[in-house]
Coordinates of all heavy atoms in Angstrom, one line a residue:
M27 N -0.3 -13.0 13.6 CA -1.1 -13.0 12.4 C -0.7 -14.2 11.6 O 0.5 -14.5 11.5 CB -0.9 -11.7 11.6 CG -2.1 -11.4 10.8 SD -2.0 -9.9 9.8 CE -1.0 -8.8 10.6
S28 N -1.7 -14.9 11.0 CA -1.3 -16.1 10.3 C -0.8 -15.8 8.9 O -0.9 -14.7 8.4 CB -2.6 -17.0 10.2 OG -3.5 -16.4 9.3
L29 N -0.2 -16.8 8.3 CA 0.4 -16.7 7.0 C -0.6 -16.3 5.9 O -0.4 -15.4 5.1 CB 1.2 -17.9 6.6 CG 1.8 -17.9 5.2 CD1 2.9 -16.9 5.1 CD2 2.4 -19.3 4.9
S30 N -1.8 -17.0 6.0 CA -2.8 -16.8 4.9 C -3.4 -15.4 5.0 O -3.6 -14.7 4.0 CB -3.9 -17.8 5.0 OG -4.5 -17.8 6.3
L31 N -3.6 -14.9 6.2 CA -4.2 -13.6 6.4 C -3.1 -12.5 6.0 O -3.5 -11.5 5.3 CB -4.5 -13.3 7.9 CG -5.1 -12.0 8.2 CD1 -6.4 -11.7 7.5 CD2 -5.3 -11.8 9.7
T32 N -1.9 -12.8 6.3 CA -0.8 -11.8 5.8 C -0.7 -11.8 4.3 O -0.6 -10.7 3.7 CB 0.5 -12.2 6.4 OG1 0.4 -12.3 7.9 CG2 1.6 -11.2 6.1
L33 N -0.8 -12.9 3.7 CA -0.8 -13.0 2.2 C -2.0 -12.3 1.6 O -1.8 -11.5 0.6 CB -0.7 -14.4 1.7 CG 0.6 -15.1 1.9 CD1 0.5 -16.6 1.5 CD2 1.7 -14.4 1.0
I34 N -3.1 -12.5 2.2 CA -4.4 -11.8 1.7 C -4.2 -10.3 1.8 O -4.5 -9.5 0.9 CB -5.6 -12.3 2.4 CG1 -5.9 -13.8 1.9 CG2 -6.8 -11.5 2.1 CD1 -6.9 -14.5 2.8
L35 N -3.8 -9.8 3.0 CA -3.6 -8.4 3.2 C -2.5 -7.8 2.3 O -2.7 -6.7 1.8 CB -3.4 -8.1 4.7 CG -4.5 -8.4 5.6 CD1 -4.1 -8.2 7.0 CD2 -5.7 -7.5 5.3
F36 N -1.5 -8.5 2.1 CA -0.4 -8.1 1.2 C -0.9 -7.9 -0.3 O -0.7 -6.9 -0.9 CB 0.8 -9.0 1.2 CG 1.9 -8.7 0.3 CD1 2.8 -7.6 0.6 CD2 2.1 -9.3 -0.9 CE1 3.8 -7.3 -0.3 CE2 3.1 -9.0 -1.8 CZ 3.9 -8.0 -1.5
A37 N -1.7 -8.9 -0.7 CA -2.2 -8.9 -2.1 C -3.2 -7.8 -2.2 O -3.3 -7.1 -3.3 CB -2.8 -10.2 -2.4
T38 N -4.0 -7.6 -1.2 CA -5.0 -6.5 -1.2 C -4.4 -5.1 -1.3 O -4.8 -4.3 -2.0 CB -5.9 -6.6 0.0 OG1 -6.5 -7.9 0.1 CG2 -7.0 -5.5 0.0
S39 N -3.4 -4.9 -0.5 CA -2.7 -3.6 -0.5 C -1.9 -3.4 -1.8 O -1.9 -2.3 -2.3 CB -1.8 -3.4 0.7 OG -0.8 -4.4 0.7
A40 N -1.4 -4.5 -2.3 CA -0.7 -4.3 -3.6 C -1.7 -4.0 -4.7 O -1.4 -3.1 -5.6 CB 0.1 -5.6 -4.0
G41 N -2.8 -4.6 -4.7 CA -3.9 -4.3 -5.7 C -4.4 -2.9 -5.5 O -4.7 -2.2 -6.5
L42 N -4.6 -2.5 -4.3 CA -5.0 -1.1 -4.1 C -4.0 -0.1 -4.6 O -4.3 1.0 -5.1 CB -5.2 -0.9 -2.6 CG -5.8 0.5 -2.2 CD1 -7.1 0.8 -2.8 CD2 -5.8 0.6 -0.7
A43 N -2.7 -0.4 -4.4 CA -1.6 0.5 -4.9 C -1.7 0.6 -6.4 O -1.5 1.6 -7.0 CB -0.3 0.0 -4.5
V44 N -1.9 -0.6 -7.1 CA -2.0 -0.6 -8.6 C -3.3 0.2 -9.0 O -3.2 1.0 -10.0 CB -2.1 -2.0 -9.1 CG1 -2.4 -2.1 -10.6 CG2 -0.7 -2.7 -8.8
I45 N -4.4 0.0 -8.4 CA -5.6 0.7 -8.7 C -5.4 2.2 -8.5 O -5.8 3.0 -9.3 CB -6.8 0.2 -8.0 CG1 -7.1 -1.2 -8.5 CG2 -8.0 1.1 -8.1 CD1 -8.2 -1.9 -7.6
A46 N -4.8 2.6 -7.4 CA -4.6 4.0 -7.1 C -3.6 4.6 -8.1 O -3.8 5.8 -8.6 CB -4.0 4.2 -5.7
H47 N -2.7 3.9 -8.6 CA -1.7 4.4 -9.6 C -2.5 4.6 -10.9 O -2.3 5.6 -11.6 CB -0.6 3.4 -9.8 CG 0.3 3.8 -10.9 ND1 1.2 4.9 -10.9 CD2 0.5 3.3 -12.2 CE1 1.8 5.0 -12.0 NE2 1.5 4.0 -12.8
V48 N -3.3 3.6 -11.3 CA -4.1 3.8 -12.6 C -5.0 4.9 -12.5 O -5.1 5.8 -13.4 CB -4.8 2.5 -12.9 CG1 -5.8 2.6 -14.0 CG2 -3.8 1.4 -13.2
L49 N -5.8 5.1 -11.4 CA -6.7 6.1 -11.3 C -6.1 7.5 -11.1 O -6.6 8.5 -11.6 CB -7.7 5.9 -10.1 CG -8.6 4.7 -10.3 CD1 -9.5 4.5 -9.0 CD2 -9.5 4.9 -11.5
G50 N -4.9 7.5 -10.5 CA -4.2 8.8 -10.3 C -3.5 9.3 -11.6 O -3.3 10.5 -11.7
S51 N -3.2 8.4 -12.5 CA -2.5 8.8 -13.7 C -3.4 9.0 -14.9 O -2.9 9.2 -16.0 CB -1.4 7.8 -14.0 OG -2.0 6.5 -14.3
R52 N -4.7 8.9 -14.6 CA -5.7 9.2 -15.7 C -5.6 10.6 -16.2 O -5.3 11.5 -15.4 CB -7.1 8.9 -15.3 CG -7.4 7.5 -15.2 CD -8.9 7.3 -15.0 NE -9.3 8.1 -13.8 CZ -10.5 8.1 -13.3 NH1 -11.5 7.5 -13.9 NH2 -10.8 8.8 -12.2
R53 N -5.8 10.8 -17.5 CA -5.8 12.1 -18.0 C -7.2 12.7 -17.9 O -8.2 12.1 -18.1 CB -5.5 12.0 -19.5 CG -5.2 13.3 -20.2 CD -4.7 13.0 -21.6 NE -3.3 13.0 -21.6 CZ -2.6 13.8 -22.4 NH1 -3.2 14.5 -23.2 NH2 -1.3 13.7 -22.3
R54 N -7.2 13.9 -17.4 CA -8.5 14.6 -17.2 C -8.7 15.6 -18.4 O -7.8 16.4 -18.7 CB -8.6 15.3 -15.9 CG -8.6 14.3 -14.7 CD -8.6 14.9 -13.4 NE -9.3 16.1 -13.2 CZ -9.1 16.9 -12.1 NH1 -8.1 16.6 -11.3 NH2 -9.8 18.0 -12.0
D55 N -9.9 15.5 -19.0 CA -10.2 16.3 -20.2 C -10.5 17.7 -19.8 O -10.3 18.6 -20.6 CB -11.3 15.7 -21.0 CG -10.9 14.3 -21.5 OD1 -9.7 14.1 -21.8 OD2 -11.8 13.5 -21.8
S56 N -11.1 17.9 -18.7 CA -11.6 19.3 -18.4 C -11.0 19.7 -17.0 O -10.4 18.9 -16.3 CB -13.1 19.4 -18.4 OG -13.6 18.5 -17.3
F57 N -11.3 20.9 -16.7 CA -10.8 21.4 -15.4 C -11.9 21.3 -14.3 O -11.8 21.9 -13.2 CB -10.4 22.9 -15.5 CG -9.1 23.0 -16.3 CD1 -9.1 23.6 -17.6 CD2 -7.9 22.6 -15.8 CE1 -8.0 23.7 -18.3 CE2 -6.7 22.7 -16.5 CZ -6.8 23.3 -17.8
D58 N -12.9 20.6 -14.6 CA -14.0 20.3 -13.6 C -13.4 19.5 -12.4 O -12.6 18.6 -12.7 CB -15.2 19.6 -14.2 CG -15.9 20.5 -15.2 OD1 -15.8 21.7 -15.1 OD2 -16.5 19.9 -16.1
P59 N -13.8 19.7 -11.2 CA -13.3 18.9 -10.1 C -13.9 17.4 -10.3 O -15.0 17.2 -10.8 CB -13.8 19.6 -8.9 CG -15.0 20.4 -9.3 CD -14.7 20.8 -10.7
P60 N -13.1 16.5 -9.8 CA -13.6 15.1 -9.9 C -14.8 14.8 -9.0 O -15.0 15.6 -8.0 CB -12.4 14.3 -9.4 CG -11.6 15.2 -8.6 CD -11.8 16.6 -9.1
L61 N -15.6 13.8 -9.3 CA -16.7 13.5 -8.5 C -16.4 13.0 -7.1 O -17.0 13.2 -6.1 CB -17.6 12.4 -9.2 CG -18.2 12.9 -10.5 CD1 -19.0 11.7 -11.2 CD2 -19.2 14.0 -10.3
I62 N -15.3 12.2 -7.1 CA -14.8 11.7 -5.8 C -13.5 12.4 -5.5 O -12.5 12.2 -6.1 CB -14.5 10.2 -5.9 CG1 -15.8 9.4 -6.3 CG2 -14.0 9.7 -4.5 CD1 -15.6 8.0 -6.5
P63 N -13.5 13.3 -4.5 CA -12.3 14.1 -4.2 C -11.3 13.4 -3.4 O -11.1 13.6 -2.2 CB -12.9 15.3 -3.4 CG -14.1 14.8 -2.8 CD -14.7 13.7 -3.7
I64 N -10.7 12.4 -4.0 CA -9.7 11.6 -3.3 C -8.3 11.8 -3.9 O -8.2 11.8 -5.2 CB -10.0 10.1 -3.4 CG1 -11.3 9.8 -2.6 CG2 -8.9 9.2 -2.9 CD1 -11.7 8.3 -2.7
S65 N -7.3 12.1 -3.1 CA -6.0 12.2 -3.7 C -5.4 10.8 -3.8 O -5.0 10.1 -2.8 CB -5.1 13.0 -2.7 OG -3.8 13.0 -3.2
W66 N -5.4 10.3 -5.0 CA -5.0 8.9 -5.3 C -3.5 8.7 -5.0 O -3.0 7.6 -4.7 CB -5.3 8.5 -6.7 CG -6.7 8.4 -6.9 CD1 -7.5 9.3 -7.7 CD2 -7.6 7.4 -6.4 NE1 -8.8 8.9 -7.6 CE2 -8.9 7.7 -6.9 CE3 -7.5 6.3 -5.6 CZ2 -10.0 7.0 -6.5 CZ3 -8.6 5.6 -5.2 CH2 -9.8 5.9 -5.7
T67 N -2.7 9.8 -5.0 CA -1.3 9.7 -4.7 C -1.1 9.3 -3.2 O -0.3 8.4 -2.9 CB -0.6 11.1 -4.9 OG1 -0.8 11.5 -6.3 CG2 0.9 11.0 -4.7
W68 N -1.9 9.9 -2.3 CA -1.8 9.5 -0.9 C -2.3 8.1 -0.7 O -1.7 7.4 0.2 CB -2.5 10.5 0.0 CG -1.7 11.8 0.1 CD1 -2.0 13.0 -0.5 CD2 -0.5 11.9 0.8 NE1 -1.0 13.9 -0.2 CE2 -0.1 13.3 0.6 CE3 0.3 11.1 1.6 CZ2 1.1 13.8 1.2 CZ3 1.5 11.6 2.1 CH2 1.8 12.9 1.9
V69 N -3.3 7.7 -1.4 CA -3.8 6.3 -1.3 C -2.7 5.3 -1.7 O -2.5 4.3 -1.1 CB -5.1 6.1 -2.1 CG1 -5.5 4.7 -2.1 CG2 -6.2 7.0 -1.5
Q70 N -2.0 5.7 -2.8 CA -1.0 4.8 -3.3 C 0.2 4.8 -2.3 O 0.8 3.7 -2.1 CB -0.5 5.3 -4.7 CG 0.6 4.5 -5.3 CD 1.0 5.0 -6.6 OE1 0.6 6.1 -7.1 NE2 1.8 4.2 -7.3
I71 N 0.6 5.9 -1.7 CA 1.7 5.9 -0.8 C 1.4 5.1 0.4 O 2.2 4.3 0.9 CB 2.0 7.4 -0.4 CG1 2.6 8.1 -1.5 CG2 2.9 7.4 0.9 CD1 2.8 9.6 -1.3
I72 N 0.2 5.2 1.0 CA -0.2 4.4 2.1 C -0.3 2.9 1.8 O 0.2 2.1 2.6 CB -1.6 4.9 2.7 CG1 -1.4 6.3 3.3 CG2 -2.2 3.9 3.7 CD1 -2.7 7.0 3.6
A73 N -0.8 2.6 0.6 CA -0.8 1.2 0.2 C 0.6 0.6 0.0 O 0.8 -0.6 0.4 CB -1.6 1.0 -1.1
V74 N 1.5 1.3 -0.5 CA 2.9 0.9 -0.7 C 3.6 0.7 0.7 O 4.3 -0.3 0.9 CB 3.7 1.8 -1.6 CG1 5.2 1.5 -1.5 CG2 3.2 1.7 -3.0
V75 N 3.3 1.6 1.6 CA 3.9 1.4 3.0 C 3.3 0.1 3.6 O 4.1 -0.6 4.3 CB 3.6 2.7 3.8 CG1 3.9 2.4 5.3 CG2 4.4 3.8 3.3
L76 N 2.0 -0.1 3.4 CA 1.4 -1.3 4.0 C 2.0 -2.6 3.3 O 2.3 -3.6 4.0 CB -0.1 -1.3 3.8 CG -0.8 -0.4 4.7 CD1 -2.3 -0.4 4.4 CD2 -0.7 -0.9 6.2
C77 N 2.3 -2.5 2.0 CA 3.0 -3.6 1.3 C 4.3 -3.9 1.9 O 4.7 -5.1 2.1 CB 3.1 -3.3 -0.2 SG 1.7 -3.6 -1.1
I78 N 5.1 -2.9 2.2 CA 6.4 -3.0 2.8 C 6.3 -3.7 4.2 O 7.1 -4.6 4.6 CB 7.2 -1.7 2.9 CG1 7.5 -1.2 1.4 CG2 8.4 -1.8 3.7 CD1 8.0 0.2 1.4
V79 N 5.3 -3.2 5.0 CA 5.1 -3.8 6.3 C 4.7 -5.3 6.2 O 5.3 -6.1 7.0 CB 4.1 -3.0 7.1 CG1 3.7 -3.7 8.4 CG2 4.6 -1.6 7.4
F80 N 3.8 -5.6 5.3 CA 3.4 -7.0 5.2 C 4.5 -7.8 4.6 O 4.6 -9.0 5.0 CB 2.1 -7.1 4.4 CG 0.9 -6.6 5.1 CD1 0.1 -5.7 4.4 CD2 0.6 -7.0 6.3 CE1 -1.1 -5.2 5.1 CE2 -0.5 -6.5 7.0 CZ -1.4 -5.6 6.4
A81 N 5.3 -7.3 3.7 CA 6.5 -8.0 3.2 C 7.5 -8.3 4.3 O 8.0 -9.5 4.4 CB 7.1 -7.3 2.1
A82 N 7.7 -7.4 5.2 CA 8.6 -7.6 6.3 C 8.0 -8.7 7.3 O 8.8 -9.5 7.8 CB 8.8 -6.3 7.1
H83 N 6.7 -8.7 7.4 CA 6.1 -9.7 8.3 C 6.2 -11.0 7.6 O 6.3 -12.1 8.3 CB 4.6 -9.3 8.6 CG 4.0 -10.2 9.5 ND1 4.4 -10.3 10.8 CD2 2.9 -11.0 9.4 CE1 3.6 -11.2 11.5 NE2 2.7 -11.7 10.6
L84 N 6.0 -11.1 6.3 CA 6.2 -12.4 5.6 C 7.6 -12.9 5.7 O 7.8 -14.2 5.9 CB 5.8 -12.2 4.1 CG 4.3 -12.1 3.8 CD1 4.1 -11.7 2.4 CD2 3.6 -13.4 4.2
V85 N 8.6 -12.1 5.7 CA 10.0 -12.5 5.9 C 10.1 -13.1 7.3 O 10.8 -14.1 7.5 CB 10.9 -11.3 5.6 CG1 12.3 -11.7 6.1 CG2 10.9 -11.0 4.1
S86 N 9.6 -12.4 8.3 CA 9.7 -12.9 9.6 C 8.9 -14.2 9.8 O 9.4 -15.1 10.6 CB 9.2 -11.9 10.7 OG 7.8 -11.7 10.6
L87 N 7.8 -14.4 9.1 CA 7.1 -15.7 9.2 C 7.9 -16.8 8.5 O 7.9 -17.9 8.9 CB 5.7 -15.5 8.6 CG 4.7 -14.8 9.4 CD1 3.4 -14.7 8.6 CD2 4.4 -15.5 10.7
A88 N 8.6 -16.4 7.4 CA 9.3 -17.5 6.6 C 10.6 -17.9 7.3 O 10.9 -19.1 7.3 CB 9.6 -16.9 5.2
T89 N 11.2 -17.0 8.0 CA 12.5 -17.3 8.7 C 12.3 -17.8 10.1 O 13.1 -18.5 10.6 CB 13.4 -16.1 8.7 OG1 12.8 -15.0 9.4 CG2 13.8 -15.7 7.3
G90 N 11.2 -17.5 10.7 CA 10.9 -17.9 12.1 C 11.5 -17.0 13.1 O 11.4 -17.3 14.3
Q91 N 12.2 -15.9 12.7 CA 12.8 -15.0 13.6 C 12.0 -13.7 13.6 O 11.7 -13.2 12.5 CB 14.2 -14.8 13.3 CG 15.1 -16.0 13.4 CD 16.5 -15.7 13.1 OE1 16.9 -14.6 12.8 NE2 17.3 -16.7 13.2
T92 N 11.8 -13.1 14.7 CA 11.1 -11.8 14.7 C 12.1 -10.7 14.3 O 13.3 -10.8 14.5 CB 10.6 -11.5 16.1 OG1 11.7 -11.5 17.0 CG2 9.6 -12.5 16.5
L93 N 11.6 -9.7 13.7 CA 12.4 -8.5 13.3 C 12.8 -7.7 14.6 O 11.9 -7.4 15.4 CB 11.7 -7.7 12.3 CG 11.3 -8.3 11.0 CD1 10.5 -7.4 10.1 CD2 12.5 -8.8 10.3
K94 N 14.1 -7.4 14.7 CA 14.5 -6.7 15.8 C 15.0 -5.3 15.4 O 15.5 -5.0 14.4 CB 15.7 -7.4 16.4 CG 15.4 -8.8 16.9 CD 16.6 -9.5 17.4 CE 16.1 -10.9 17.8 NZ 17.3 -11.8 18.1
S95 N 14.7 -4.4 16.3 CA 15.1 -3.0 16.1 C 16.6 -2.8 16.3 O 17.2 -3.5 17.1 CB 14.3 -2.1 17.1 OG 14.8 -0.8 16.9
R96 N 17.1 -1.8 15.6 CA 18.5 -1.5 15.8 C 18.8 -0.7 17.0 O 19.9 -0.6 17.5 CB 19.1 -0.8 14.5 CG 19.1 -1.6 13.3 CD 19.7 -0.8 12.2 NE 18.7 0.2 11.8 CZ 19.0 1.3 11.0 NH1 20.2 1.5 10.6 NH2 18.0 2.1 10.7
F97 N 17.7 0.0 17.5 CA 17.9 0.9 18.5 C 17.5 0.4 19.9 O 17.9 0.9 20.9 CB 17.0 2.2 18.2 CG 17.3 2.8 16.9 CD1 16.3 2.7 15.9 CD2 18.5 3.4 16.6 CE1 16.6 3.2 14.6 CE2 18.7 3.9 15.4 CZ 17.8 3.9 14.4
V98 N 16.8 -0.7 19.9 CA 16.5 -1.3 21.2 C 17.4 -2.5 21.4 O 17.5 -3.4 20.6 CB 15.0 -1.8 21.2 CG1 14.6 -2.5 22.5 CG2 14.1 -0.6 20.9
S99 N 18.0 -2.6 22.6 CA 19.0 -3.7 22.8 C 18.4 -4.7 23.7 O 17.3 -4.7 24.2 CB 20.2 -3.1 23.5 OG 19.9 -2.4 24.7

């Protein structure tokens, strides 16, 4: 994956995490169910995990070395 595509995907997932945080922390005035039944907490968790994966990929692109597993020799 190229550097520009990784940066775009990283920024998109970070933006999605921020939007999910804002929408998930809104105060609801009534006990009516929301119009869009999305658990914003799970969207935020998935977006943060993607941010961590893309950050690790950016580190491997910057250093030129691939990330190696501790368990595979």
Side-chain angles (χ1 to χ4, degrees):
M27 205 179 329
S28 67
L29 177 65
S30 60
L31 180 61
T32 306
L33 285 173
I34 289 169
L35 290 174
F36 177 78
T38 304
S39 62
L42 182 63
V44 169
I45 290 171
H47 175 70
V48 169
L49 291 177
S51 63
R52 285 188 304 180
R53 192 174 263 237
R54 291 181 32 205
D55 295 333
S56 65
F57 290 110
D58 295 333
L61 293 175
I62 302 173
I64 294 177
S65 175
W66 293 109
T67 304
W68 285 107
V69 173
Q70 184 179 6
I71 290 170
I72 291 170
V74 168
V75 167
L76 285 174
C77 279
I78 292 170
V79 169
F80 289 130
H83 186 63
L84 284 171
V85 167
S86 69
L87 285 175
T89 59
Q91 297 181 2
T92 59
L93 297 175
K94 296 177 184 168
S95 174
R96 294 182 287 166
F97 305 111
V98 177
S99 55

